[in-house]
Amino acid sequence: MSEQPGATVAHLPVAYADTSADQLGFSLDAPLQEPLAREDGEIDGITVSVRLLGASHQVVVDDGAQRICETVACLPDVSSALPETFQQSGYLFSSRIERATDDQMAALVEQLGVRVTEQMASGNPSVMGVFPGNPHAVTAIVSESTAEQISWHTWHTYPQAGDVVITTSVIHRGAMRA
């Protein structure tokens, strides 16, 4: 495992397990996975852990009374297909797949590195991992917060197919304490 707390970009030691966008699944109750890289932080008493997996990502949000564990991955415990939208008691998830040329993918990866660095500097757990073999094969997670909600955005790039899976998740703070 190559956890690198505080590192802006983690160079991951394994090839990614999900090799195309259509292999990703979604779960809120998959078991915790051993991350290849992670960043943990606290936002107003709520713990946020963003984790990169060889099979994509997990984000764990815990306020001490309630825990949400979002997993978007290619794993046996994650059998539900990746939904375009999902909503459940104050939690909202959305995903989409975009096409990108090699130049667009390179620009996106550069922008993600900047965004991850900025969010880490502002105290929001964020991480980007580069998989071996292609500098544009990345997974990035950026968390943000406001007085009303905690949100995170992820990007899973598949340069060999020209696909980018983008997810957005929002937890309304009142729902965490309800």
Side-chain angles (χ1 to χ4, degrees):
M1 180 174 70
S2 177
E3 285 186 46
Q4 300 174 7
T8 304
V9 176
H11 293 278
L12 304 175
V14 300
Y16 45 17
D18 54 320
T19 56
S20 68
D22 62 354
Q23 291 183 319
L24 291 174
F26 171 80
S27 174
L28 290 178
D29 58 11
L32 283 178
Q33 302 293 311
E34 191 65 33
L36 297 173
R38 73 191 263 186
E39 285 296 332
D40 299 330
E42 190 173 298
I43 300 171
D44 298 330
I46 299 172
T47 301
V48 178
S49 178
V50 296
R51 301 157 173 247
L52 300 181
L53 312 174
S56 284
H57 83 260
Q58 276 188 323
V59 175
V60 181
V61 180
D62 190 334
D63 70 356
Q66 183 180 2
R67 184 178 91 159
I68 293 173
C69 178
E70 174 190 284
T71 305
V72 171
C74 173
L75 294 169
D77 296 323
V78 183
S79 57
S80 296
L82 190 64
E84 284 186 29
T85 61
F86 176 86
Q87 189 167 2
Q88 175 181 302
S89 28
Y91 166 83
L92 175 63
F93 173 88
S94 64
S95 70
R96 68 183 189 277
I97 299 173
E98 293 185 356
R99 300 285 301 154
T101 66
D102 289 343
D103 289 344
Q104 290 168 328
M105 193 80 68
L108 173 64
V109 169
E110 186 175 324
Q111 292 166 0
L112 289 174
V114 170
R115 190 163 177 189
V116 165
T117 300
E118 289 172 351
Q119 287 305 104
M120 284 293 295
S122 68
N124 292 308
S126 300
V127 66
M128 183 167 102
V130 178
F131 290 92
N134 188 324
H136 302 140
V138 304
T139 298
I141 308 171
V142 174
S143 70
E144 301 173 322
S145 65
T146 66
E148 295 82 31
Q149 64 190 30
I150 294 174
S151 63
W152 57 94
H153 310 277
T154 73
W155 295 263
H156 306 262
T157 65
Y158 300 93
Q160 73 282 9
D163 289 335
V164 180
V165 176
I166 301 167
T167 73
T168 299
S169 303
V170 176
I171 295 176
H172 294 280
R173 290 183 187 227
M176 286 294 294
R177 294 187 169 89

